[in-house]
Amino acid sequence: MYTQAMDTMGKEAGDGRKNVRSAEEMQLEERFDAQIDAGNFIEAKDWMPEHYRKTLVRQISQHAHSEIVGMLPEGNWISRAPTLKRKAILLAKVQDEAGHGLYLYAAGETLGTSRDQMLDALHSGRAKYSSIFNYPTLSWADVGAIGWLVDGAAIMNQVPICRCSYAPYARAMIRICREESFHQRQGFEALLTMMQHGTDAQKAMVQDAVNRWWWPSVMMFGPPDDESPNSAQSMRWGIKRVSNDELRQKFIDAAVDQAKVLGVTLPDPELRWNEERQAHDHGPIDWSEFWRVIAGDGPCNRERLAARVKAWDDGAWVREAAMAHASKHEPVRDAA
Ligand SMILES: [Fe+2]
Ligand SMILES: [Fe+2]
């Protein structure tokens, strides 16, 4: 994903320093605005307003955290994948998510925040990640449902970020999106195999997984546009290109057709085609659940964070060894 839902999490909505800007700063900001208006990319070395930088650090780091926390629910099934083929696919997919995290931490670092700072914010519970990963994976069908729905929603969210005004983020997203489309297809194909060739119990397992993942996936696009306070500024800056509700609608419309191919029912009795809007209407979304999970009270919040902190602590010796190795290869400085 996994960033859209996080647009509401910032507390830096105004830096309160607008009145004390120097003439030089105002000129730089005008030049920056003109670059944005012209649709040009901003590079790491370019001047940028502090609020733009902070918004990006928050969004990119939350996105990076989501990628690596997102490895946990599916990683849980690597040792129990039903066949060698499925195991190889799942291993590759989970490894891709680690790579996505690395591209994104690297993009975040170009804004002057270190990886250690970003990870410290995650481990201490100050930073957020996508709430979808706080749900458990109870059966093998959950792995397919995550690929189909969660990675499917991620693609909808992430394709517009390939045109984000901050170039290092946009470049990272281009690579990530190529892999996400493979993730979505492998999930859909795994479910389709069970629905077409599986036993009744396996088909029921698929339906159960879809029932549990549908609404959290719909919520991945974040709160409705009129309740998404940072969206307008992010749109103005070209960080965000398409609104939460528009993306959600696109996702739902695509999923309805795919559900028909699979032969599963989406758990929303109010889901129906609206001829006038040329889109599907859907039932009410339980936003109280969304806010509860974001606030830390989802089914697996504590478990996920504990797993990340443990991985970080267990990996300390690897980081130390890598630093020791790197220091041996540092160029010898001239005493003069
Ligand atoms: Fe990813
Ligand atoms: Fe993915």
Side-chain angles (χ1 to χ4, degrees):
M1 165 258 77
Y2 307 95
T3 56
Q4 195 91 7
M6 296 293 133
D7 289 348
T8 57
M9 297 312 298
K11 292 190 172 63
E12 312 93 325
D15 62 10
R17 283 179 293 163
K18 284 203 170 110
N19 299 333
V20 291
R21 278 183 310 170
S22 64
E24 191 200 358
E25 241 182 338
M26 285 169 76
Q27 214 175 31
L28 286 167
E29 188 148 356
E30 261 170 46
R31 216 177 299 158
F32 172 85
D33 287 342
Q35 291 286 346
I36 296 280
D37 291 344
N40 294 336
F41 284 112
I42 306 297
E43 291 288 348
K45 64 183 182 346
D46 295 336
W47 184 90
M48 63 189 79
E50 212 35 45
H51 185 195
Y52 177 83
R53 185 186 299 275
K54 276 187 181 167
T55 300
L56 278 166
V57 167
R58 188 185 69 235
Q59 179 167 335
I60 295 172
S61 62
Q62 287 176 347
H63 191 165
H65 302 329
S66 302
E67 299 285 354
I68 58 165
V69 176
M71 296 166 72
L72 298 171
E74 289 183 286
N76 187 31
W77 281 90
I78 291 173
S79 60
R80 292 177 286 163
T83 65
L84 183 60
K85 175 183 144 182
R86 296 289 172 202
K87 191 191 286 274
I89 292 172
L90 185 58
L91 265 172
K93 194 225 181 215
V94 172
Q95 205 166 18
D96 282 353
E97 306 299 5
H100 297 173
L102 294 182
Y103 305 156
L104 289 162
Y105 284 124
E109 282 179 312
T110 65
L111 292 157
T113 303
S114 73
R115 194 173 299 207
D116 281 354
Q117 283 172 306
M118 290 185 266
L119 286 168
D120 184 55
L122 173 67
H123 297 153
S124 63
R126 281 177 286 126
K128 301 289 178 189
Y129 54 86
S130 182
S131 57
I132 192 88
F133 302 117
N134 290 316
Y135 290 86
T137 40
L138 304 179
S139 76
W140 169 253
D142 286 30
V143 171
I146 289 178
W148 174 40
L149 296 172
V150 177
D151 289 276
I155 295 168
M156 289 287 178
N157 265 334
Q158 293 178 350
V159 165
I161 309 176
C162 297
R163 293 182 290 120
C164 165
S165 60
Y166 188 58
Y169 191 21
R171 283 193 287 268
M173 291 316 303
I174 291 168
R175 296 179 66 175
I176 290 174
C177 283
R178 287 194 189 123
E179 292 175 348
E180 294 299 357
S181 69
F182 153 76
H183 296 174
Q184 195 267 354
R185 271 180 275 175
Q186 65 82 32
F188 185 83
E189 196 267 339
L191 296 183
L192 191 63
T193 303
M194 280 189 272
M195 290 304 288
Q196 289 184 340
H197 308 290
T199 62
D200 285 348
Q202 285 169 321
K203 288 176 192 171
M205 199 165 80
V206 172
Q207 183 63 57
D208 173 62
V210 171
N211 290 348
R212 285 180 290 106
W213 288 94
W214 174 249
W215 288 110
S217 300
V218 167
M219 290 183 210
M220 276 176 70
F221 298 91
D225 294 343
D226 50 9
E227 291 169 33
S228 183
N230 291 348
S231 281
Q233 182 62 75
S234 283
M235 289 277 217
R236 164 77 189 78
W237 276 332
I239 295 173
K240 184 169 177 163
R241 298 286 186 186
V242 187
S243 83
N244 295 1
D245 288 334
E246 257 178 277
L247 288 168
R248 185 172 7 254
Q249 185 70 60
K250 269 177 79 174
F251 169 73
I252 291 173
D253 291 340
V256 167
D257 291 337
Q258 291 159 357
K260 279 182 202 147
V261 177
L262 280 178
V264 295
T265 307
L266 296 174
D268 178 1
E270 292 177 47
L271 199 58
R272 58 182 61 87
W273 178 250
N274 181 323
E275 190 58 35
E276 208 175 304
R277 291 200 309 120
Q278 289 291 299
H280 289 87
D281 292 336
H282 60 80
I285 298 169
D286 180 5
W287 290 111
S288 63
E289 174 180 327
F290 175 77
W291 293 117
R292 190 164 45 76
V293 179
I294 279 207
D297 206 18
C300 300
N301 293 55
R302 287 163 198 86
E303 186 186 326
R304 299 289 185 242
L305 203 55
R308 283 311 320 165
V309 170
K310 184 176 184 303
W312 178 255
D313 291 344
D314 290 353
W317 70 272
V318 180
R319 292 190 298 279
E320 278 160 25
M323 293 302 284
H325 180 73
S327 70
K328 283 185 196 160
H329 294 273
E330 261 174 21
V332 179
R333 290 214 179 86
D334 215 334

